[in-house]
Amino acid sequence: CVSDIVLTANNQCQATASWQLPEVSDNCSSEITLESDFDSGDVFPQGTTMVTYTATDATGNSSTCSFDVIVNDNTPPTIISNLNDLTVTADEGTCQATVSWNTISAEDNCDNEVQITSSFNSGDLLTAADLILFLILFLYSIFYSSNCSFAA
């Protein structure tokens, strides 16, 4: 039978899969029908779809084989924001300030719900040490995820 096929989803969260038909033979008959629920060249949605072939000889004996077409979403979400760098002044004598910014949102070509995580939240009371941590997390996220950041 055909080996599992792993593909990357396109912008519509689907992919076209192609494969060679399984080889079939019978010990008594050369008249064999081969049927499947999918055809090579079909478009498959994101996720795993099982493809099954059934070979049937002239006397009605049959055999099946199956394989999976796996379509993965490898496109990171896009962060949508109107964030600009902020300049804040620490509260007198405290070396900290409450910092607020606009809401951050994101969209993804395949997933309706995108989880947004943040090292800090708008309205948090930040210290000078927090701002250094914020910068470190920002630099880390540049290299390892879809991200958006700004300096406070």
Side-chain angles (χ1 to χ4, degrees), residues 24-79:
V24 296
S25 63
D26 187 71
N27 64 337
C28 294
S29 174
S30 61
E31 190 178 319
I32 303 169
T33 60
L34 184 63
E35 295 179 347
S36 177
D37 45 357
F38 295 95
D39 295 314
S40 178
D42 281 352
V43 176
F44 292 83
Q46 176 188 353
T48 301
T49 303
M50 181 181 288
V51 176
T52 302
Y53 275 92
T54 302
T56 307
D57 67 15
T59 59
N61 297 317
S62 64
S63 180
T64 62
C65 74
S66 299
F67 62 93
D68 289 331
V69 174
I70 303 161
V71 179
N72 294 320
D73 172 16
N74 294 331
T75 303
T78 301
I79 295 175

Side-chain angles (χ1 to χ4, degrees), residues 113-133:
E113 294 184 27
V114 178
Q115 179 180 359
I116 298 174
T117 57
S118 176
S119 51
F120 299 97
N121 296 308
S122 179
D124 281 354
L125 183 64
L126 302 180
T127 66
D130 290 333
L131 295 176
I132 292 169
L133 176 62

